[in-house]
């Protein structure tokens, strides 16, 4: 279907909206032992350190009696603001996108799976496609908000992403501090930029070594 592209933030907000229960879907009240109109909604009792968001890509098609994949395109915000419920959107907790699982293909029965993951300490993204690892300069596919220069209007939505991993911003910050054994005063842009540059240089060097080995093997086989 040719539908307008949506965002994970919009889907989450809609998911948290109250559901009206009336008509044939009335709520059975235990106090009055009768069915009555009501509303129900979802509330987070506490905000988890890692939020796993699964998009409903696969549904059962009653016309064909088979599963099918929904190809609706979705934008992935790098920062997802998660409220405790529909009444507290202004006090939402920020979560950072750290991992994406993609299913490439249109069938619900087969396809190819590719992962995209972020290095927590540097913010650098990589794509993992079987044995091939690729540096993602602009972050994960179909994402926006990774910096001030990338807005959702500038990227195309994805019909492949189905499993997203968001990490609570405060939890991510503390985890990085512990991993690098640094106090907060050391977290300057210069230090992180140096680590980021070293990781990028190491990645480029490894890619050059792989290409050199492949070219050498080609010459030997001629």
């Amino acid at each position: 279907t040719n539908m307008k592209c949506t965002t994970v933030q919009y889907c989450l907000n809609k998911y948290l909206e109250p559901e009206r229960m009336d008509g044939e879907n009335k709520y059975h009240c235990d106090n009055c032992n009768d069915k009555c109109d009501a509303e129900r909604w979802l509330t987070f009792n506490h905000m988890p350190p890692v939020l796993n968001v699964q998009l409903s890509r696969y549904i059962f098609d009653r016309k064909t009696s088979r599963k099918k994949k929904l190809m609706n395109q979705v934008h992935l915000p790098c920062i997802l603001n998660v409220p405790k419920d529909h009444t507290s959107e202004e006090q939402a907790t920020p979560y950072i996108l750290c991992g994406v699982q993609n299913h490439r293909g249109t069938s619900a029965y087969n396809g190819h799976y590719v992962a995209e993951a972020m290095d927590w300490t540097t913010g650098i993204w990589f794509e993992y496609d079987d044995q091939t690892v690729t540096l993602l300069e602009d972050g994960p596919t179909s994402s926006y908000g990774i910096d001030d220069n990338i807005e959702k209007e500038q990227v195309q939505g994805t019909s492949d992403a189905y499993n997203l991993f968001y990490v609570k911003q405060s939890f991510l910050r503390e985890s990085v501090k512990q991993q690098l054994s640094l106090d907060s005063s050391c977290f300057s842009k210069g230090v992180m930029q140096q680590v980021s540059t070293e990781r990028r240089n190491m990645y480029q060097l490894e890619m050059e070594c792989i290409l050199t080995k492949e070219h050498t093997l080609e010459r030997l086989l001629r």
Side-chain angles (χ1 to χ4, degrees):
T1 11
N2 191 11
M3 300 182 67
K4 185 179 178 181
C5 186
T6 187
T7 71
V8 174
Q9 184 69 67
Y10 174 80
C11 293
L12 175 64
N13 293 344
K14 295 295 290 183
Y15 186 69
L16 295 176
E17 283 185 357
E19 177 188 356
R20 183 69 180 169
M21 304 179 69
D22 53 17
E24 295 182 356
N25 195 34
K26 285 185 177 183
Y27 172 75
H28 185 273
C29 178
D30 292 332
N31 293 329
C32 57
N33 195 29
D34 194 11
K35 290 188 175 182
C36 56
D37 294 344
E39 282 189 342
R40 68 176 179 181
W41 60 84
L42 176 70
T43 299
F44 288 98
N45 290 327
H46 68 277
M47 308 310 289
V50 179
L51 183 66
N52 180 205
V53 179
Q54 298 187 30
L55 305 181
S56 298
R57 284 284 178 206
Y58 310 102
I59 65 170
F60 182 76
D61 188 343
R62 293 188 178 184
K63 292 182 179 179
T64 62
S65 297
R66 290 171 58 86
K67 289 190 298 182
K68 74 174 184 178
K69 179 182 178 181
L70 297 178
M71 300 299 293
N72 304 59
Q73 293 192 340
V74 181
H75 281 126
L76 313 179
C78 287
I79 300 178
L80 183 67
N81 295 308
V82 183
K84 293 193 71 172
D85 56 40
H86 70 282
T87 65
S88 57
E89 290 186 16
E90 294 182 0
Q91 290 83 38
T93 302
Y95 279 75
I96 308 300
L97 182 62
C98 291
V100 181
Q101 286 183 306
N102 298 289
H103 171 263
R104 293 180 179 171
T106 58
S107 171
Y109 294 92
N110 55 59
H112 184 64
Y113 293 89
V114 176
E116 297 170 323
M118 184 185 78
D119 180 347
W120 284 19
T121 57
T122 63
I124 298 176
W125 279 84
F126 294 93
E127 178 191 80
Y128 300 89
D129 183 355
D130 292 336
Q131 73 273 20
T132 303
V133 180
T134 305
L135 176 68
L136 300 175
E137 291 282 357
D138 296 325
T141 307
S142 302
S143 66
Y144 66 94
I146 196 169
D147 58 42
D148 295 334
N149 299 319
I150 302 178
E151 300 295 334
K152 65 175 179 291
E153 291 79 11
Q154 298 174 265
V155 296
Q156 184 176 348
T158 173
S159 56
D160 296 336
Y162 72 96
N163 201 13
L164 315 173
F165 296 90
Y166 281 91
V167 179
K168 193 176 181 181
Q169 189 177 55
S170 57
F171 176 80
L172 180 62
R173 186 185 298 115
E174 291 303 316
S175 298
V176 171
K177 286 181 182 180
Q178 292 178 14
Q179 185 174 342
L180 297 181
S181 300
L182 296 172
D183 58 36
S184 58
S185 63
C186 295
F187 268 74
S188 65
K189 184 178 180 181
V191 172
M192 295 308 295
Q193 183 62 43
Q194 181 180 353
V195 175
S196 175
T197 302
E198 290 176 355
R199 292 286 176 90
R200 291 172 186 269
N201 291 341
M202 181 62 70
Y203 172 81
Q204 294 296 341
L205 181 60
E206 290 177 353
M207 291 300 100
E208 290 175 6
C209 290
I210 292 174
L211 289 174
T212 301
K213 290 179 180 178
E214 289 179 350
H215 291 159
T216 302
L217 182 60
E218 287 178 2
R219 287 198 298 270
L220 291 174
L221 294 175
R222 288 176 183 171

